[in-house]
Amino acid sequence: MSFQTTFKALSDPTRREILSLLKHGAMTAGEIGAKFEITGASISHHLAVLRDSGLITDDRRGKYIYYELNMTVLDELLGWAADLKGEKL
Amino acid sequence: MSFQTTFKALSDPTRREILSLLKHGAMTAGEIGAKFEITGASISHHLAVLRDSGLITDDRRGKYIYYELNMTVLDELLGWAADLKGEKL
DNA sequence: ATAACATTTAGGTAATCGTCTAAATGTACT
DNA sequence: AGTACATTTAGACGATTACCTAAATGTTAT
């Protein structure tokens, strides 16, 4: 996964809000969708973008799919910004 | 300036490369443009997006306009990512 | 005032994006 | 097997984006 997909994923406010929700723990697609006014299909699309960028992982448990934050990609993002500031990694 | 404009600005690879160039000091629009294959008009558009997002500042000195990184917005970005990781700011 | 140079603005076009509805898939229960 | 529920996939549509060429603006020097 490249920085391109990561930044593209972060460039949408709904997706950033999804990440914020996941800060406190894993949630199902349905629980996430309930927090927004858009359709489940659109939420599913956003989750796919976030998953493809590596920012979240998914884990099917029976009928539900749980989504969770992936810290690794966030660390890469922090490294990128710190480097731009001229800070040592 | 909101996070929205910041992340939108960062979602383009040319703009991220421009920021990378500016890591080592201010450059004119022409110097920046010389590093890419696209037209000066397109570079000017990218610089405007970066300026509107607050990621860079511009400073006219005679015939030239110098562009420079703005660390403040980068710090906000770092804070946003750290917060998502659950770290104290 | 005119020319030359640096940069931006205007207007247009093809591609990408976020959203929707409708249909498909995966899983659990009876 | 069949129904119900959770989620995704497919296809379409309007809005936005990145690029281009051509024209405009700002600055310096002649």
Side-chain angles (χ1 to χ4, degrees), chain A residues 25-40:
Chain A
M27 294 173 73
T28 70
E31 287 169 340
I32 294 167
K35 302 279 189 178
F36 299 88
E37 305 255 304
I38 60 183
T39 64

Side-chain angles (χ1 to χ4, degrees), chain A residues 22-80:
Chain A
L22 295 178
K23 207 170 70 171
H24 308 105
M27 294 173 73
T28 70
E31 287 169 340
I32 294 167
K35 302 279 189 178
F36 299 88
E37 305 255 304
I38 60 183
T39 64
S42 293
I43 290 292
S44 181
H45 159 73
H46 285 308
L47 291 172
V49 172
L50 287 170
R51 176 167 24 76
D52 291 351
S53 77
L55 282 160
I56 62 176
T57 58
D58 62 338
D59 172 27
R60 175 145 230 156
R61 291 210 279 273
K63 215 154 78 157
Y64 304 93
I65 301 179
Y66 283 83
Y67 286 94
E68 189 165 12
L69 263 186
N70 177 17
M71 302 299 184
T72 311
V73 176
L74 281 175
D75 282 330
E76 290 173 17
L77 188 75
L78 283 166
W80 177 89

Side-chain angles (χ1 to χ4, degrees), chain B residues 22-84:
Chain B
L22 295 178
K23 207 169 70 170
H24 307 107
M27 293 172 74
T28 69
E31 287 170 340
I32 294 167
K35 301 279 190 178
F36 300 89
E37 306 257 304
I38 61 183
T39 64
S42 293
I43 291 293
S44 180
H45 159 255
H46 286 306
L47 291 172
V49 172
L50 288 170
R51 175 167 25 74
D52 291 350
S53 77
L55 282 161
I56 61 175
T57 57
D58 62 337
D59 172 27
R60 175 145 230 157
R61 292 209 279 273
K63 216 153 79 157
Y64 304 92
I65 302 179
Y66 282 85
Y67 287 94
E68 191 164 11
L69 262 185
N70 177 16
M71 302 300 185
T72 310
V73 176
L74 281 176
D75 282 331
E76 289 173 17
L77 188 76
L78 282 165
W80 178 88
D83 175 62
L84 211 54

